[in-house]
Coordinates of all heavy atoms in Angstrom, one line a residue:
G120 N 97.4 89.2 95.0 CA 98.6 88.5 94.3 C 99.7 89.4 93.9 O 100.7 89.0 93.5
N121 N 99.4 90.7 93.8 CA 100.4 91.7 93.4 C 101.5 91.8 94.5 O 101.3 91.4 95.6 CB 99.7 93.1 93.3 CG 98.9 93.3 92.1 OD1 98.7 92.4 91.3 ND2 98.4 94.5 91.8
K122 N 102.6 92.1 94.0 CA 103.8 92.3 94.8 C 104.1 93.8 95.1 O 104.1 94.6 94.3 CB 105.0 91.6 94.1 CG 106.3 91.5 94.8 CD 107.2 90.6 94.2 CE 107.7 91.1 93.0 NZ 108.9 90.5 92.5
I123 N 104.4 94.0 96.4 CA 104.8 95.3 96.8 C 106.1 95.3 97.5 O 106.5 94.4 98.1 CB 103.7 96.1 97.7 CG1 103.5 95.2 99.0 CG2 102.4 96.3 96.9 CD1 102.6 96.0 100.0
K124 N 106.8 96.4 97.4 CA 108.1 96.5 98.0 C 108.0 97.0 99.5 O 107.4 98.0 99.7 CB 109.0 97.5 97.2 CG 110.4 97.7 97.6 CD 111.2 98.7 96.7 CE 112.5 98.9 97.2 NZ 113.2 99.9 96.4
I125 N 108.6 96.3 100.4 CA 108.6 96.7 101.8 C 110.0 96.6 102.4 O 110.9 96.0 101.9 CB 107.6 95.9 102.6 CG1 108.1 94.5 102.7 CG2 106.2 96.0 102.2 CD1 107.3 93.6 103.7
N126 N 110.2 97.3 103.5 CA 111.5 97.3 104.3 C 111.1 96.7 105.6 O 110.2 97.2 106.4 CB 112.0 98.7 104.4 CG 112.5 99.4 103.2 OD1 113.1 98.6 102.4 ND2 112.2 100.6 103.0
V127 N 111.8 95.7 106.1 CA 111.5 94.9 107.2 C 112.7 95.1 108.2 O 113.8 95.0 107.8 CB 111.3 93.4 106.9 CG1 111.0 92.6 108.2 CG2 110.3 93.2 105.9
D128 N 112.3 95.3 109.4 CA 113.4 95.5 110.5 C 113.9 94.1 110.8 O 113.1 93.1 111.1 CB 112.8 96.1 111.7 CG 113.7 96.5 112.8 OD1 115.0 96.1 112.8 OD2 113.4 97.2 113.7
R129 N 115.2 93.9 110.8 CA 115.8 92.6 111.2 C 115.6 92.2 112.6 O 115.3 91.0 112.9 CB 117.3 92.6 111.0 CG 117.8 92.7 109.6 CD 119.3 92.6 109.5 NE 119.6 92.5 108.1 CZ 119.9 93.6 107.3 NH1 119.7 94.8 107.6 NH2 120.2 93.3 106.0
N130 N 115.5 93.0 113.5 CA 115.3 92.8 115.0 C 113.9 92.7 115.3 O 113.6 91.9 116.2 CB 115.9 94.0 115.8 CG 117.4 94.2 115.6 OD1 118.1 93.2 115.2 ND2 117.8 95.4 115.8
D131 N 112.9 93.2 114.5 CA 111.5 93.2 114.8 C 110.8 93.0 113.6 O 110.5 93.9 112.9 CB 111.0 94.4 115.6 CG 109.6 94.3 115.9 OD1 109.0 93.3 115.8 OD2 109.0 95.4 116.2
P132 N 110.5 91.8 113.0 CA 109.9 91.6 111.8 C 108.5 92.1 111.5 O 108.1 92.3 110.4 CB 110.0 90.0 111.6 CG 111.0 89.5 112.6 CD 111.0 90.5 113.7
D133 N 107.9 92.5 112.7 CA 106.5 93.1 112.6 C 106.6 94.6 112.2 O 105.6 95.2 111.9 CB 105.7 92.9 113.8 CG 105.3 91.4 113.9 OD1 105.1 90.7 112.9 OD2 105.2 90.9 115.1
N134 N 107.8 95.1 112.4 CA 108.1 96.5 112.1 C 108.5 96.6 110.6 O 109.6 96.3 110.3 CB 109.1 97.1 113.0 CG 109.5 98.5 112.8 OD1 108.6 99.2 112.1 ND2 110.5 99.1 113.3
I135 N 107.5 97.1 109.9 CA 107.8 97.2 108.5 C 107.5 98.7 108.0 O 106.7 99.4 108.6 CB 106.9 96.3 107.6 CG1 105.4 96.6 107.7 CG2 107.2 94.8 107.9 CD1 104.6 95.8 106.6
I136 N 108.1 99.1 106.9 CA 107.8 100.3 106.2 C 107.5 100.0 104.7 O 108.5 99.4 104.1 CB 109.0 101.3 106.4 CG1 109.2 101.7 107.8 CG2 108.8 102.5 105.5 CD1 110.4 102.6 108.0

Side-chain angles (χ1 to χ4, degrees):
N121 284 6
K122 186 168 68 168
I123 59 173
K124 183 178 170 184
I125 63 172
N126 295 316
V127 181
D128 189 349
R129 284 183 177 89
N130 300 331
D131 181 14
D133 288 328
N134 181 15
I135 65 169
I136 294 177

